[in-house]
Amino acid sequence: QLQLQESGSGLVKPSQTLSLTCAVSGGSISSGGYSWSWIRQPPGKGLEWIGYIYHGGSTYNPSLKSRVTISVDRSKNQFSLKLSSVTAADTAVYYCARGYSGYDHYFDFWGQGTLVTVSS
Amino acid sequence: SSELTQDPAVSVALGQTVRITCQGDSLRNYYASWYQQKPGQAPVLVIYGKNNWPSGIPDRFSGSSSGNTASLTITGAQAEDEADYYCNSRDSSGNHLVFGGGTKLTVL
């Protein structure tokens, strides 16, 4: 059974860079046909897709593209998120998820999520 | 603003059937996937593709699509189905992903 686990700083100061890592176990991040996404959920609000990385590169939500970088470390079977110039609006639970990336797309495995608070 | 639109809240009597809808132009070309989220938990995939269930999802959940509208139907709703439900699909460009705003389902 695939498992994903987010880790990183739970408190980030405004204007700084948020950094999170998603460790994948029970399967290889190099498996073909899958994408590896970050998704966030502000307190009391809905889900927002941040972006994903796949064998061909990475794709980001246009509304966040200028501040987001998603990278992969295949040797450690993990992928990471960096979000720069954060503000209070970036306070959210951040999830990592595996996506099946064919013509259609769906998220079949999710991490438990980690709360990141932006505050001085 | 989200490119996928959902009703904010829906209610259903215990044991009855409820349909949760998701509207968006991209749904004319792509199927939606549906996620159930209970308080304090990560979302769980309940329907994907034309009408497919992941392992462990009860068959009272079903999906359908017509035109620009995708639907999640729960036939014989149970108390444990009370949750937030989100649709997700590719956007109109096909290059990005988008979630609907979510529907809070109350089982009366």
Side-chain angles (χ1 to χ4, degrees):
Chain A
Q1 178 83 344
L2 193 77
Q3 292 187 327
L4 297 88
Q5 179 67 58
E6 304 91 346
S7 63
S9 176
L11 180 63
V12 182
K13 290 181 168 52
S15 80
Q16 294 191 342
T17 296
L18 176 160
S19 296
L20 296 173
T21 295
C22 181
V24 179
S25 59
S28 173
I29 201 168
S30 298
S31 298
Y34 296 108
S35 62
W36 303 90
S37 278
W38 288 98
I39 296 153
R40 70 181 183 179
Q41 185 171 36
K45 296 187 177 181
L47 300 169
E48 180 181 34
W49 174 72
I50 298 170
Y52 64 55
I53 195 163
Y54 60 108
H55 71 278
S58 55
T59 302
Y60 304 130
N61 186 323
S63 69
L64 298 169
K65 183 178 180 179
S66 63
R67 299 194 291 131
V68 174
T69 301
I70 297 176
S71 59
V72 65
D73 186 336
R74 300 186 189 283
S75 68
K76 294 182 178 179
N77 215 37
Q78 64 186 32
F79 63 108
S80 299
L81 168 70
K82 290 189 185 299
L83 180 66
S84 64
S85 304
V86 298
T87 69
D90 295 309
T91 293
V93 174
Y94 285 76
Y95 297 99
C96 58
R98 187 182 81 166
Y100 175 79
S101 192
Y103 179 78
D104 294 299
H105 184 282
Y106 56 88
F107 300 105
D108 56 356
F109 289 96
W110 295 65
Q112 65 186 22
T114 187
L115 175 63
V116 177
T117 302
V118 178
S119 175
S120 55
Chain B
S1 63
S2 174
E3 294 187 33
L4 297 178
T5 301
Q6 297 182 241
D7 290 329
V10 172
S11 61
V12 61
L14 184 68
Q16 296 304 300
T17 296
V18 62
R19 176 176 293 182
I20 298 170
T21 61
C22 174
Q23 289 188 302
D25 287 342
S26 66
L27 299 179
R28 298 184 184 278
N29 299 310
Y30 301 103
Y31 286 117
S33 53
W34 290 92
Y35 304 86
Q36 177 192 70
Q37 186 180 35
K38 296 181 179 179
Q41 298 183 19
V44 173
L45 176 69
V46 293
I47 290 289
Y48 65 96
K50 187 173 183 180
N51 185 22
N52 299 299
W53 297 265
S55 174
I57 300 301
D59 62 4
R60 63 178 179 271
F61 290 88
S62 62
S64 61
S65 185
S66 178
N68 73 336
T69 302
S71 300
L72 172 70
T73 300
I74 307 174
T75 303
Q78 302 300 301
E80 61 263 32
D81 299 334
E82 187 163 288
D84 294 327
Y85 290 85
Y86 293 90
C87 60
N88 174 256
S89 185
R90 294 189 181 277
D91 70 359
S92 298
S93 75
N95 295 321
H96 307 110
L97 303 175
V98 62
F99 284 95
T103 297
K104 182 177 183 59
L105 176 66
T106 300
V107 180
L108 303 172

